[in-house]
Amino acid sequence: MTLSLKERRNKTATVLVATGEINSETSGSLLQALLPLVREGKALKIDLTAVTYVSSAGLRTLLVVYREAQHAGVAVTLYGVSEEVRFVMSATGFLDFFETGEARAAAATTTVKAAR
């Protein structure tokens, strides 16, 4: 399975919406997408609502992002973490590194205002 990534931005945060599986084949592209966003210095919200699986490679990628965010002073929040993904992240202790929230809240903070 592949991983699709879509990015939305506003003045205070960036939301990265992931769809698919985060595994050894896809974790590199996730890392390449996330690290530049962390380095921008704005809050980062990762929407995992449509992520069906996270392997150890995916967890490692999220850990690298977490460490980079801590170094840069950037808040990273995970949204829409499924029960399956939550279980894996919780069992391995990775869930403790991240703030979590609802995907709807992530979408609400990135609503684009119409130009007047």
Side-chain angles (χ1 to χ4, degrees):
M1 177 152 212
T2 61
L3 181 67
S4 169
L5 302 171
K6 293 182 182 177
E7 183 181 310
R8 296 189 308 248
R9 299 171 179 259
N10 70 17
K11 291 180 183 179
T12 61
T14 300
V15 177
L16 187 77
V17 180
T19 302
E21 294 183 357
I22 303 173
N23 55 37
S24 60
E25 293 179 18
T26 62
S27 61
S29 62
L30 179 63
L31 187 62
Q32 288 177 347
L34 288 172
L35 287 181
L37 299 178
V38 168
R39 293 177 183 139
E40 288 178 3
K42 294 192 317 186
L44 178 59
K45 299 175 182 188
I46 306 171
D47 185 344
L48 300 175
T49 303
V51 170
T52 56
Y53 173 78
V54 176
S55 73
S56 60
L59 292 175
R60 198 169 31 256
T61 295
L62 291 174
L63 181 61
V64 169
V65 170
Y66 168 80
R67 288 182 176 159
E68 187 73 20
Q70 288 293 310
H71 180 70
V74 172
V76 177
T77 306
L78 303 179
Y79 290 88
V81 182
S82 70
E83 287 301 316
E84 295 83 8
V85 172
R86 183 177 294 278
F87 176 78
V88 170
M89 291 185 76
S90 180
T92 57
F94 279 77
L95 199 56
D96 296 337
F97 295 129
F98 297 94
E99 294 293 323
T100 58
E102 296 301 321
R104 190 174 302 156
T109 62
T110 60
T111 302
V112 178
K113 295 180 181 178
R116 297 177 198 209

